[in-house]
Amino acid sequence: MMGFRNSMQLDKAKMQERTKSKSSRSTDKSVKGGDKKGQDKGSKKKQTSKKANKFAQHFYIQGTKVCLELNNKGYREIPEGIFDLDLTCLFLINNDIDRLPDSFIQLTNLEALVLTGNNIHVVNRHIFNLPKLQVLDLSNNEISTISSEISGLKSLTQLLLNGNRLESLPSTIGDMTQLRVLGLNDNILTSLPDSLSKLEHLHILALERNMLEFLNPSVCKIESLRRLGLSGNKMSNLPHEIEGMTDLQQLLLDDNQFEFIPIQIFWLHELIELSFCGNGITQIQPDIKNMTKLKVLGLSNNKLTDLPHELMQLTQIELLALDNNCLTSLSEDIANLYCMKELNLGSNFLTELPDSISLCCSLETLSVVNNKLTKLPIELGTLQKLHTLMISQNEFTSIPVCVGALQGLQVLLAEDNQIEEVPETFAGLSHLKHFNLSVNRISSFPLAICKVRSLEVLDVSCNNLLAIPNEISNLQNLQVLNLKENLLKEIPPQLYSLSKLRGLDLSDNALSDVPINVSEMTSLNELNLSNNKFFEFPKAVCAVPNLVTLRFDQQNGNQVPCLPDEIGNLRVKELIISHNTLRTFPKTINGMNNLTHLYADHNEIWMLPDSICEMQKLQLLHLNNNQLTTLPRDFDQLILLRDLRLYDNQLKVPPMDVCVSGVLQPIGLFLRKAFKREELLMERMFHAIKEDLTKSQLRSLLKKLKVPEDHIMELESRFPGRDQVPERILAGLRHWKEYFGPMATIDELIRITHIINFDNVALKLKTMKIFAQRLRL
């Protein structure tokens, strides 16, 4: 199916030309005919043409085949107009379609129907009557049964039902004699029908991750089968009839309950791939020598303590997976596997490798992760095709000298050892791109690393580095540098000259400042400054021009109390500022036009500025564990917000039970009503106390409310004299409310009147508030 789909090329012009041609012919025909019937027919074809134009940009065409692709469109049902088109292929992947209409019967020329990733529970029987259908993909839906009528698809060659809820198959499936591929992975099948034996053209049978305890012997009668996938079931044995599948090339039995390899498998002489990973196998029988064509052998995650000599006679092996076993040694006979390209020996108990491994001259990838190695054979340096070497989680104290001779090496993973030095020979790795030296004992940055100019990714995190040498500026191809969890007190200025650096992790160090030169890092996309010794947020970071992600989580560092106004200059899409002591955001935060994800959990935020409501691209906002009591009035203007988290706050407007869903519509509705009530109540309070204050008391109140002196004087000049004091009180309080915006609250007014001992006023306001709350209840 994929080959058929990929072979088609997008050609909008052809589709539009074809549609236009059809429309033109239908119009000419109706004009020439002149009768009503001809006009009706022409009108109908014109409508069809319009519907075709509606989907024109989604057509793929190759010769006479026309494919319509409407993937990821959010459709809940098949779009209207599709069934009027003359389609050979229809793709509706990853929508939300739950029903298939009877209209499918109109698509008589359909050859491929792909409805992967929808919400289909029942397959409409009319699909089973499509005479030319060759490919039917209904994977990743909610289908629990398949009708016996499916056998009506006489031309079907590929049937894919992976990722559904099938418990059984209809016996009529054996009548679909043209099937070449049958995909049934990720279902809950417990048995298989005998009729499968009739599928004489079947090449691939996928039954992985089901509930099969036994394999129906009828499957073994399918002589045409080339690939049989049975991984992830509950099998502990196979029927003896399997020895008759002499043309089988791939047999996958990972993650079952086998304690030994069934002897019949060793007579499958055409087998190229055999995988028994994730079982309980304790030994390999000598009969494995019969499998002379084997290229891939998977034995990971078993209980093997040694390997038979006969395994080393399989000279065609290209991939041998032996990780997560109990091997303590490896035979010198491994030299016989001269075709082997990949060898995985991770997570065993190896203390050394045989010198003869150097004779595996085709080896490209070697993993000895998580063993007890302290050295590698010096001869290993002769493996000139080796491009990936993984020696992590061993007991090396230095990078083995032989590594420096591996001229083709591109990836070297050596993390979590006891490495204290890197030899000078390391400088000869002229093709090395990725080097991981994290979680070791490096205290002085190895100069040999700075000579490997091909490096693109360098990880020296979790060491004891106090400084970075000037020579690091030689690494002009470096794109990712991880310096996390060292002892650095400043950002090395040499880093600013690394023109290709796009990822820099400086978290968990002892940094207290970021120099202004950081703005020179024009390629930097991701910067992590978490858990350092900053006393304030580093303003210089706001000038990094192309930053996409900034992490400043100070859970284990110095927590900063505020963000600078310059934060509005950042063009990041993701900002993490959790675990600080922020009380609010600066109003300039709305300048962060690209921000989609904002994490500010575990701060002391009690108020959000109104300007945050202007951040139209915001999709995620996490404010858990803060001190918020209210949200801004226009909070529901964040129309793209899909992930809102406000747990462990003290929200009252709106209350937590309204916010817990994270849905903006009810939050916005509550806020509008609440602020309207708040405004009305506050205005009533102003009127209620306008006769209770003298002009000197008003001046004291306004000063305590932090109204500027010049504003107070302006009010006194506008409303002079004792008789205008009530109007001055109203105007003064209204001015305070307007001047301080969301910070001018009823609670603040009550608090201030109480502080300055206007007890009668404070009591009156408090009583009005309590009464208003009771009315709402």
Side-chain angles (χ1 to χ4, degrees):
M1 179 195 70
M2 293 306 295
F4 173 63
R5 179 183 173 194
N6 291 338
S7 67
M8 294 185 288
Q9 302 294 322
L10 179 63
D11 191 342
K12 295 181 187 177
K14 273 190 182 180
M15 189 61 215
Q16 291 170 350
E17 184 180 347
R18 178 182 296 187
T19 304
K20 184 176 178 181
S21 175
K22 284 185 177 180
S23 176
S24 175
R25 288 199 299 271
S26 65
T27 304
D28 291 345
K29 195 171 181 180
S30 84
V31 170
K32 288 179 182 178
D35 58 286
K36 188 174 184 296
K37 184 176 179 180
Q39 290 174 358
D40 289 344
K41 190 172 181 181
S43 175
K44 184 177 180 181
K45 290 212 170 187
K46 191 175 289 186
Q47 290 175 358
T48 301
S49 172
K50 288 180 180 177
K51 289 174 182 176
N53 281 327
K54 175 183 176 182
F55 302 115
Q57 61 178 329
H58 303 295
F59 279 105
Y60 292 80
I61 299 174
Q62 182 189 30
T64 59
K65 296 186 184 299
V66 178
C67 174
L68 178 60
E69 184 175 296
L70 296 171
N71 302 334
N72 301 293
K73 301 295 182 184
Y75 290 127
R76 292 183 176 273
E77 57 184 27
I78 307 294
E80 184 181 354
I82 280 182
F83 302 109
D84 296 325
L85 304 175
D86 187 16
L87 297 176
T88 47
C89 306
L90 175 58
F91 292 88
L92 283 158
I93 300 172
N94 293 336
N95 285 285
D96 197 24
I97 297 165
D98 60 3
R99 187 182 66 85
L100 301 178
D102 294 346
S103 306
F104 263 104
I105 200 169
Q106 299 175 32
L107 300 176
T108 54
N109 289 318
L110 200 64
E111 297 178 8
L113 175 59
V114 182
L115 291 161
T116 304
N118 282 282
N119 194 31
I120 300 165
H121 288 72
V122 178
V123 185
N124 191 305
R125 58 191 297 271
H126 289 292
I127 288 178
F128 303 145
N129 293 317
L130 296 175
K132 297 184 180 180
L133 198 64
Q134 298 175 29
V135 177
L136 176 59
D137 190 347
L138 293 165
S139 299
N140 300 321
N141 279 284
E142 302 293 329
I143 301 166
S144 57
T145 57
I146 290 292
S147 168
S148 59
E149 295 180 77
I150 195 170
S151 60
L153 295 172
K154 300 298 184 183
S155 300
L156 204 68
T157 60
Q158 296 188 35
L159 175 59
L160 302 177
L161 293 164
N162 303 310
N164 280 285
R165 299 183 178 183
L166 295 173
E167 296 181 20
S168 61
L169 300 174
S171 59
T172 56
I173 200 165
D175 298 331
M176 304 172 70
T177 55
Q178 297 304 308
L179 270 185
R180 299 172 68 86
V181 177
L182 178 55
L184 296 162
N185 293 334
D186 300 291
N187 280 281
I188 48 178
L189 296 170
T190 56
S191 62
L192 302 170
D194 293 342
S195 61
L196 284 178
S197 62
K198 295 158 61 177
L199 300 177
E200 57 185 23
H201 296 295
L202 196 66
H203 283 183
I204 298 174
L205 178 56
L207 292 163
E208 299 179 51
R209 294 172 297 281
N210 277 279
M211 305 290 286
L212 298 171
E213 295 184 15
F214 305 100
L215 179 64
N216 189 325
S218 298
V219 172
C220 303
K221 297 177 182 179
I222 309 174
E223 296 181 0
S224 58
L225 211 57
R226 298 292 181 270
R227 177 185 172 93
L228 177 58
L230 292 166
S231 298
N233 281 281
K234 297 182 176 182
M235 295 181 174
S236 58
N237 210 333
L238 294 173
H240 66 85
E241 290 87 349
I242 198 168
E243 66 183 24
M245 303 182 74
T246 53
D247 290 329
L248 196 65
Q249 296 178 359
Q250 293 175 292
L251 179 58
L252 310 180
L253 290 159
D254 300 328
D255 302 316
N256 276 282
Q257 298 173 9
F258 290 93
E259 295 181 1
F260 59 90
I261 298 178
I263 194 70
Q264 297 87 354
I265 289 180
F266 298 128
W267 303 105
L268 303 179
H269 300 301
E270 297 299 316
L271 215 57
I272 293 174
E273 178 178 358
L274 174 63
S275 194
F276 265 97
C277 300
N279 283 279
I281 297 171
T282 57
Q283 63 177 2
I284 307 296
Q285 300 95 308
D287 304 82
I288 197 169
K289 65 182 180 182
N290 297 327
M291 309 181 76
T292 56
K293 294 186 178 180
L294 207 60
K295 292 185 177 181
V296 177
L297 178 57
L299 293 168
S300 303
N301 298 292
N302 279 287
K303 299 178 181 179
L304 298 172
T305 55
D306 56 28
L307 302 173
H309 168 76
E310 288 78 8
L311 191 150
M312 303 305 172
Q313 297 176 17
L314 303 179
T315 57
Q316 298 302 307
I317 286 280
E318 294 181 2
L319 188 157
L320 179 57
L322 293 164
D323 51 305
N324 284 289
N325 278 283
C326 304
L327 300 174
T328 56
S329 62
L330 202 60
S331 168
E332 291 281 352
D333 291 341
I334 197 169
N336 296 331
L337 306 183
Y338 48 81
C339 290
M340 185 165 56
K341 296 180 180 179
E342 182 173 344
L343 175 60
N344 195 334
L345 294 166
S347 298
N348 279 283
F349 299 100
L350 300 173
T351 56
E352 62 180 2
L353 295 180
D355 295 346
S356 61
I357 198 171
S358 61
L359 298 177
C360 298
C361 54
S362 299
L363 206 58
E364 298 175 357
T365 299
L366 173 61
S367 172
V368 291
V369 171
N370 193 20
N371 279 280
K372 297 182 178 181
L373 300 172
T374 57
K375 61 180 181 179
L376 293 178
I378 191 68
E379 293 85 357
L380 198 71
T382 62
L383 297 176
Q384 293 305 300
K385 292 185 179 180
L386 196 68
H387 59 66
T388 301
L389 176 60
M390 293 173 270
I391 60 171
S392 311
Q393 296 172 275
N394 278 281
E395 298 175 8
F396 293 102
T397 57
S398 173
I399 295 292
V401 175
C402 64
V403 170
L406 296 171
Q407 294 297 310
L409 200 63
Q410 298 180 25
V411 177
L412 175 58
L413 308 183
E415 70 270 21
D416 201 2
N417 278 282
Q418 301 169 29
I419 297 172
E420 297 178 356
E421 61 177 355
V422 176
E424 279 299 319
T425 55
F426 187 88
L429 299 177
S430 58
H431 293 91
L432 192 66
K433 295 182 178 180
H434 187 151
F435 182 33
N436 190 334
L437 193 59
S438 63
V439 197
N440 277 288
R441 299 180 179 179
I442 303 292
S443 56
S444 178
F445 195 97
L447 292 178
I449 294 177
C450 301
K451 298 178 182 179
V452 184
R453 297 174 182 268
S454 57
L455 269 179
E456 296 178 0
V457 177
L458 174 60
D459 189 343
V460 286
S461 61
C462 304
N463 279 284
N464 301 308
L465 295 172
L466 289 166
I468 305 297
N470 294 336
E471 288 82 354
I472 199 171
S473 60
N474 295 332
L475 303 180
Q476 286 300 309
N477 287 304
L478 202 62
Q479 298 179 24
V480 177
L481 176 60
N482 191 346
L483 293 166
K484 176 182 179 179
E485 207 169 322
N486 278 284
L487 303 171
L488 301 173
K489 293 184 178 180
E490 60 180 20
I491 298 178
Q494 298 80 12
L495 298 185
Y496 307 141
S497 64
L498 300 178
S499 59
K500 294 183 180 180
L501 198 65
R502 53 182 174 78
L504 175 60
D505 192 341
L506 290 161
S507 60
D508 296 278
N509 278 279
L511 304 176
S512 59
D513 187 32
V514 175
I516 192 66
N517 311 67
V518 75
S519 62
E520 299 171 14
M521 305 182 77
T522 55
S523 295
L524 198 63
N525 295 147
E526 184 169 348
L527 176 62
N528 192 343
L529 294 171
S530 301
N531 299 324
N532 275 285
K533 306 298 181 184
F534 296 104
F535 294 103
E536 61 180 21
F537 187 90
K539 296 180 182 179
V541 171
C542 302
V544 180
N546 295 304
L547 208 56
V548 175
T549 298
L550 174 61
R551 301 178 187 274
F552 195 80
D553 184 319
Q554 298 298 323
Q555 184 172 9
N556 298 312
N558 284 354
Q559 299 180 344
V560 302
C562 62
L563 298 176
D565 288 341
E566 289 83 352
I567 199 79
N569 298 328
L570 269 175
R571 294 293 175 261
V572 295
K573 292 183 177 180
E574 184 177 32
L575 176 63
I576 298 98
I577 47 174
S578 301
H579 294 100
N580 282 284
T581 55
L582 305 178
R583 300 202 67 213
T584 187
F585 298 129
K587 295 179 181 179
T588 55
I589 195 170
N590 62 343
M592 300 177 71
N593 300 322
N594 296 325
L595 197 67
T596 60
H597 291 65
L598 175 56
Y599 299 84
D601 303 311
H602 299 280
N603 278 281
E604 298 174 6
I605 298 170
W606 67 278
M607 184 200 73
L608 298 176
D610 290 337
S611 57
I612 200 171
C613 303
E614 300 171 17
M615 302 177 71
Q616 296 296 304
K617 292 185 179 180
L618 204 60
Q619 299 173 20
L620 177 150
L621 178 59
H622 285 192
L623 294 164
N624 298 322
N625 211 306
N626 278 282
Q627 298 176 15
L628 289 168
T629 58
T630 184
L631 297 177
R633 179 195 303 262
D634 298 322
F635 195 73
D636 61 343
Q637 289 186 7
L638 299 174
I639 56 175
L640 294 181
L641 194 61
R642 296 291 180 268
D643 189 349
L644 172 64
R645 303 195 186 178
L646 296 162
Y647 299 110
D648 297 316
N649 280 279
Q650 302 171 24
L651 281 164
K652 297 176 182 177
V653 184
M656 196 62 212
D657 58 349
V658 175
C659 297
V660 70
S661 68
V663 180
L664 286 184
Q665 187 175 6
I667 292 175
L669 183 61
F670 189 98
L671 285 170
R672 280 189 289 276
K673 289 182 177 179
F675 279 109
K676 188 174 182 180
R677 287 195 302 266
E678 182 97 354
E679 287 178 356
L680 290 172
L681 178 58
M682 189 175 284
E683 186 65 21
R684 289 194 191 106
M685 288 179 169
F686 293 168
H687 280 276
I689 64 174
K690 72 177 183 179
E691 306 290 347
D692 295 345
L693 299 175
T694 65
K695 62 180 181 180
S696 61
Q697 288 176 324
L698 173 62
R699 170 173 272 275
S700 298
L701 177 60
L702 293 178
K703 290 194 73 172
K704 199 66 178 178
L705 289 171
K706 298 183 180 179
V707 176
E709 177 65 24
D710 57 334
H711 292 201
I712 297 174
M713 293 177 63
E714 194 272 334
L715 284 168
E716 290 174 347
S717 65
R718 280 175 54 202
F719 301 99
R722 184 180 301 174
D723 58 334
Q724 295 197 57
V725 168
E727 285 76 16
R728 191 189 308 169
I729 292 172
L730 279 177
L733 292 173
R734 287 169 181 166
H735 178 76
W736 164 72
K737 178 177 175 294
E738 182 180 350
Y739 187 80
F740 287 97
M743 291 186 290
T745 64
I746 289 173
D747 288 336
E748 179 68 2
L749 183 58
I750 294 173
R751 188 179 73 86
I752 294 298
T753 54
H754 180 71
I755 286 174
I756 60 179
N757 296 319
F758 291 176
D759 293 334
N760 290 337
V761 173
L763 181 60
K764 180 184 286 190
L765 297 179
K766 192 171 183 179
T767 303
M768 292 179 72
K769 177 185 174 184
I770 293 171
F771 184 70
Q773 288 174 337
R774 285 179 177 173
L775 284 178
R776 288 202 295 274
L777 291 174

